[in-house]
């Protein structure tokens, strides 16, 4: 096997923990009702309120301008009046329950303030103050004390080092920010581990006319993490789509559980994931370790969970908006209408890249279109209405009414810009939009107006959209058409899951093995065979004569491989001999092989030499399960055998998996067509292959307590013949 040595590569520790490192086990899971008390307060205390503080002014102004109708208490021990309001010296002086404390005091005053909360019987807080775990060891110690106090006294604390939140649905602006107004209400929950970036995203959403149900920043996550907020958003009735900006996933198991819950409830999650979480140990040089970098695993996890991953802030907001506005789509068939041939060409290219079908219009639709516009010529999809639409303000609306009734379509887009400023030209465009408005709103299928470019929505355009209620998606075709492709793929998966119901994932075997270090190939083969995973027949020999006898019994040609738990790179040290045609060749090869191995690795323990038949035909696969520091066991499938690292044609899933997961992984491979049979090769018995891989995953999952790596490379596939030609099993901890 041309696999690499298993090596644990420990990363160099930084001088202080990463931002928001929650190294103390939080051990706190809040109920949804408890989270509602945090995010839907009826009274708020501003601790550190001051006329000299810009933060205080922003919080005060936000609560007032945002229409918060609860009580606001101002806490300042030095000034009797702040922002024109009477203050209290301490939280304990208020004398009545307070639902939320917004803490904006200096770092050394944060813990005394939390102690004051505890004394007053208050349980919810936002800590704006920075300088904790993101700063230095002193800040880390203070943050760990916040975590300890929270666990001891049932405190739900957002931050420290966070901006807070805006619950738009409930008119609560508990965030140090000066947002564009009016803040647009909608059905997207925007969750950000970065407060400043969250505020910028809120303003970007405003420029694109995107409404939110909430914006919540989590900061260092000493207590409340992004998973807690995710739980709240899933249960929130106003929220239809969840948009996340994440730097770190601190509770991976719970995140997976909640993501599955969101998918089952039909709430899409769109994620912008930045950076890479630190791993305390990484398998570095096996084929699997070289392929499954942390970010690649995250990609696989998101795909497995039905999470849509995006690459920019703009894509995050606009994709989430497309999901929220469009909702359910029955299929991938799209109709496009525009007043530009160039726009039609661009849209067609984008649709093809996004996997969206642009079907030919039905004959009835074509005939009706020619009646409306005799000079139209071929009625293609996308449809260029030409400048004729400028001469007849009703033409575009009539054409859309015809196209949206076409039975070959699942959705329709009309590519046209909303009005910008109050000019004669914009008023002329608005006359055209009047007919479009009625056609889109009365469409029997989802139909939307979509601008060509991602220009900001101006005040006049926003006013027009509000007055008419025209179905509108902002962001331009380069953002929105790919977003629609993602929506269509998500809907297909969701509808298939709803129709089929949950499939049983890997059922762990009743199996316990206590082992350390690496096993030899011979030991690994025995375990695989015992649990129903086919391995190529082979015999272990300890002498040249035994090897010759074994080769005669197996039949020529044969392969010889050294067997040792200490040697993984067999071929690199001359430990493999191929295509041996006679007993004499086998004897000579055995002697030469043993000489090579002893010279290269004199301290290695040699169990013997494995003799097996040479099966040259077939397709080689990599099948492995590796322990990931964050996500646990990761299943990797790849095409290539010894070439797998060069080709990097792999698919990943975290365990447990279903047989459907395995089948989907195989179809994701770029070389999937090879399995169907090409140039006279035998097509693979797919059900049998899926079962072999599934059993491998089940075996690994049963051994997860101390298994580090289980790798079959290659798994040779030739029609119905499926055999593991080589295997490696490595356990946690060094062999004694």
């Amino acid at each position: 096997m041309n696999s690499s040595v298993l090596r644990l590569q420990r990363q160099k520790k930084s001088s202080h923990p990463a931002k928001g490192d929650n190294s103390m086990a939080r051990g706190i899971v809040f109920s949804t009702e408890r989270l509602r008390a945090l995010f839907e307060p009826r009274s708020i205390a501003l601790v550190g309120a001051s006329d000299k503080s810009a933060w205080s002014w922003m919080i005060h102004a936000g609560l007032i301008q945002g229409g918060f109708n609860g009580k606001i208490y101002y806490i300042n021990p030095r000034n009797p009046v702040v922002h024109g309001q009477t203050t209290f010296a301490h939280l304990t002086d208020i004398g009545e329950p307070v639902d939320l404390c917004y803490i904006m005091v200096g770092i050394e005053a944060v813990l005394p303030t939390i102690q004051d909360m505890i004394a007053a019987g208050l349980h919810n807080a936002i800590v704006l103050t920075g300088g904790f775990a993101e700063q230095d060891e002193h800040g880390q110690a203070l943050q760990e004390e916040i975590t300890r106090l929270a666990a001891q006294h049932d405190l739900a604390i957002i931050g420290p080092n966070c901006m807070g939140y805006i619950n738009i649905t409930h008119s609560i602006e508990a965030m140090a920010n000066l947002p564009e107004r009016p803040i647009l209400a909608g059905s997207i929950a925007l969750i950000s581990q970065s407060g400043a970036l969250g505020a910028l995203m809120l303003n970007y959403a405003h420029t694109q006319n995107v409404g939110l149900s909430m914006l919540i920043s989590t900061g260092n996550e000493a207590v409340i993490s992004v998973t807690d907020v995710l739980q709240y958003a899933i249960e929130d009735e106003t929220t239809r789509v969840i948009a996340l900006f994440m730097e770190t996933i601190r509770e991976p198991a719970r995140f997976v559980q909640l993501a599955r819950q969101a998918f089952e409830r039909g709430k899409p999650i769109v994620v912008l994931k930045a950076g890479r979480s630190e791993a305390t140990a990484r398998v570095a040089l096996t084929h699997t370790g070289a392929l499954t970098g942390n970010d690649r695993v995250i990609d696989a996890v998101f795909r497995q969970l039905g999470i849509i991953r995006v690459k920019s802030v703009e894509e995050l907001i606009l994709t989430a908006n497309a999901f929220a506005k469009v909702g359910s789509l029955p299929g991938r068939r799209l109709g496009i209408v525009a007043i530009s041939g160039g726009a039609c060409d661009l849209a067609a290219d984008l649709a093809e890249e996004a996997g969206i079908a642009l079907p030919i219009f039905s004959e009835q639709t074509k005939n009706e279109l020619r009646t409306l516009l005799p000079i139209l010529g071929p009625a293609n999809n996308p449809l260029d209405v030409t400048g004729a639409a400028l001469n007849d303000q009703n033409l575009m609306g009539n054409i859309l009414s015809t196209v949206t009734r076409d039975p070959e379509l699942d959705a329709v887009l009309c590519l046209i810009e909303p009005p910008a400023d109050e000019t004669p030209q914009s008023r002329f465009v608005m006359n055209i939009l009047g007919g479009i408005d009625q056609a889109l709103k009365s469409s029997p299928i989802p139909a939307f107006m979509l601008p060509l470019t991602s220009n900001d929505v101006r005040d006049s355009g926003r006013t027009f959209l509000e007055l008419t209620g025209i179905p509108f998606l902002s962001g331009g075709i380069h953002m929105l058409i790919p977003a629609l492709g993602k929506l269509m793929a998500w809907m297909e998966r969701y509808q298939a899951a709803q129709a089929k119901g949950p499939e049983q994932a890997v059922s762990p075997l009743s199996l316990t093995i206590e082992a350390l270090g690496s096993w030899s190939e011979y030991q690994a083969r025995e375990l695989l065979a015992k649990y129903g995973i086919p391995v190529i027949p082979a015999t272990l020999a300890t002498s040249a004569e035994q090897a010759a006898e074994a080769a005669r019994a197996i039949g020529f040609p044969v392969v010889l491989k050294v067997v040792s738990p200490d040697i993984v790179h067999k071929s690199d040290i001359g430990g493999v001999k191929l295509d041996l045609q006679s007993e004499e060749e086998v004897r000579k090869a055995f002697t030469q092989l043993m000489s090579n191995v002893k010279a290269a690795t004199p301290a290695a323990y040699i169990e013997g030499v494995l003799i097996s038949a040479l099966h040259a035909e077939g397709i080689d696969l990599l099948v492995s399960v590796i322990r990931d520091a964050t996500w646990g066991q990761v299943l990797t499938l790849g095409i290539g055998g010894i070439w797998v690292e060069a080709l990097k044609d792999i698919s990943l899933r975290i365990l447990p998996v279903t047989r459907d997961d395995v089948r989907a992984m195989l179809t994701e491979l770029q070389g999937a067509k090879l399995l169907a049979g090409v140039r006279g090769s035998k097509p693979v018995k797919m059900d049998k292959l899926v079962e072999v891989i599934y059993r491998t995953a089940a075996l690994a999952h049963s051994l997860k307590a101390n298994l580090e790596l289980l790798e079959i490379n290659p798994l040779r596939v030739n029609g119905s013949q499926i055999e593991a030609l080589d295997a490696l099993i490595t356990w946690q901890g060094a062999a004694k």
Side-chain angles (χ1 to χ4, degrees), residues 145-463:
E145 181 63 10
I146 292 175
T147 305
R148 188 191 69 79
L149 290 171
Q152 185 176 353
H153 297 282
D154 183 32
L155 306 181
I157 298 176
I158 307 174
N161 187 33
C162 92
M163 303 279 279
Y165 66 79
I166 299 177
N167 193 329
I168 299 167
T169 303
H170 295 275
S171 302
I172 304 165
E173 293 188 28
M175 174 174 274
N177 182 36
L178 294 174
E180 296 286 342
R181 296 191 181 277
I183 297 178
L184 304 177
S187 58
I188 301 169
L190 178 56
I191 304 168
S192 173
Q193 287 180 324
S194 167
L197 187 57
L200 290 172
M201 288 191 288
L202 174 65
N203 287 337
Y204 177 74
H206 184 273
T207 67
Q208 295 298 312
N209 210 52
V210 175
L212 306 178
S213 58
M214 65 186 78
L215 164 62
I216 300 176
S217 70
T218 58
N220 286 12
E221 299 187 357
V223 182
I224 292 293
S225 71
V226 74
T227 50
D228 294 305
V229 184
L230 181 59
Q231 176 185 332
Y232 173 72
I234 291 170
E235 298 292 341
D236 181 60
E237 293 182 359
T238 305
T239 297
R240 295 179 59 187
V241 179
I242 299 167
L244 296 175
F245 170 76
M246 307 181 72
E247 298 166 285
T248 306
I249 302 172
R250 295 186 178 86
E251 298 175 280
R254 189 159 165 247
F255 178 82
V256 167
Q257 177 187 4
L258 288 168
R260 286 178 174 151
Q261 183 180 330
F263 182 80
E264 290 168 2
R265 297 190 180 191
K267 285 194 177 184
I269 299 175
V270 185
V271 174
L272 173 59
K273 171 70 175 64
R276 300 187 177 191
S277 61
E278 292 187 11
T280 57
R282 170 65 58 194
V283 177
L285 294 179
T286 61
H287 279 304
T288 307
L291 293 166
T292 58
N294 183 67
D295 201 55
R296 198 156 191 171
V297 175
I298 288 173
D299 261 341
V301 170
F302 286 177
R303 189 182 309 112
Q304 187 173 356
L305 297 173
I307 292 173
I308 301 93
R309 189 173 188 183
V310 296
K311 297 180 180 179
S312 68
V313 167
E314 295 86 350
E315 193 180 1
L316 176 68
I317 299 300
L318 297 173
T319 300
N321 188 48
F323 273 67
K325 292 283 184 67
V326 177
S328 178
L329 281 176
R332 288 180 174 265
R333 304 173 304 171
L334 182 65
I336 299 175
V337 178
I339 314 179
S340 164
C344 289
D345 292 340
L346 288 173
D349 291 341
L350 291 166
E352 182 177 358
E353 292 169 3
I356 299 174
L358 298 174
I360 298 171
F361 293 136
S362 69
E363 287 302 318
Q364 180 177 346
T365 299
K366 290 180 181 179
N367 292 333
E368 291 182 14
L369 290 174
R370 292 190 188 99
T371 300
L372 289 169
L373 189 58
I375 64 170
L376 182 63
N380 297 319
N381 180 25
L383 179 64
D384 176 14
V385 181
T386 75
L390 301 178
N391 296 325
D392 181 355
Q393 66 182 39
N394 297 316
L395 179 61
M396 183 69 98
N398 292 333
I399 286 176
L400 284 169
S401 294
T402 298
V403 170
T404 55
R405 294 196 305 272
D406 191 300
E408 300 298 320
L409 300 179
D410 299 310
V412 171
L413 296 181
C414 174
L415 308 185
I416 191 168
E417 303 285 334
D421 300 315
E422 284 292 339
T423 64
Q425 182 181 4
S426 67
R427 286 191 290 272
F428 184 77
V429 172
M430 287 181 70
N431 290 332
I432 299 174
L433 293 177
I436 293 174
D437 173 22
Q438 293 303 317
L440 295 181
K441 287 196 291 190
S442 61
S443 170
I445 58 176
F448 292 86
M449 173 181 158
L450 178 66
L452 291 173
T453 61
S454 58
N455 293 330
D456 294 351
V457 178
R458 303 287 182 85
D459 289 342
S460 57
R462 196 186 312 279
T463 300

Side-chain angles (χ1 to χ4, degrees), residues 612-652:
S612 63
L614 177 63
H615 291 172
E617 294 184 356
I619 300 164
D620 286 345
L621 301 178
L622 165 75
V623 179
S624 75
V625 175
I626 192 171
R627 181 185 297 274
D628 181 83
T630 301
W631 299 102
Q633 292 182 306
V634 178
L635 172 65
T636 303
L637 301 185
I639 286 183
I642 63 174
W643 302 105
V644 67
E645 288 183 35
L647 299 176
K648 290 183 172 58
D649 183 13
I650 63 170
S651 180
L652 308 172

Side-chain angles (χ1 to χ4, degrees), residues 506 508-509 511 527-528 531 533 624-627 633-635 655 693-711 731:
V506 165
L509 305 167
L511 179 63
L527 181 64
L528 295 177
Y531 289 95
I533 299 162
S624 75
V625 175
I626 192 171
R627 181 185 297 274
Q633 292 182 306
V634 178
L635 172 65
L655 295 188
I693 297 170
Y694 176 83
R695 288 190 181 192
T696 304
L699 175 60
H701 195 51
S702 301
L703 299 170
K704 65 180 180 179
N706 64 333
L707 181 71
E708 187 69 53
L709 171 72
L710 190 162
E711 179 176 290
W731 309 93

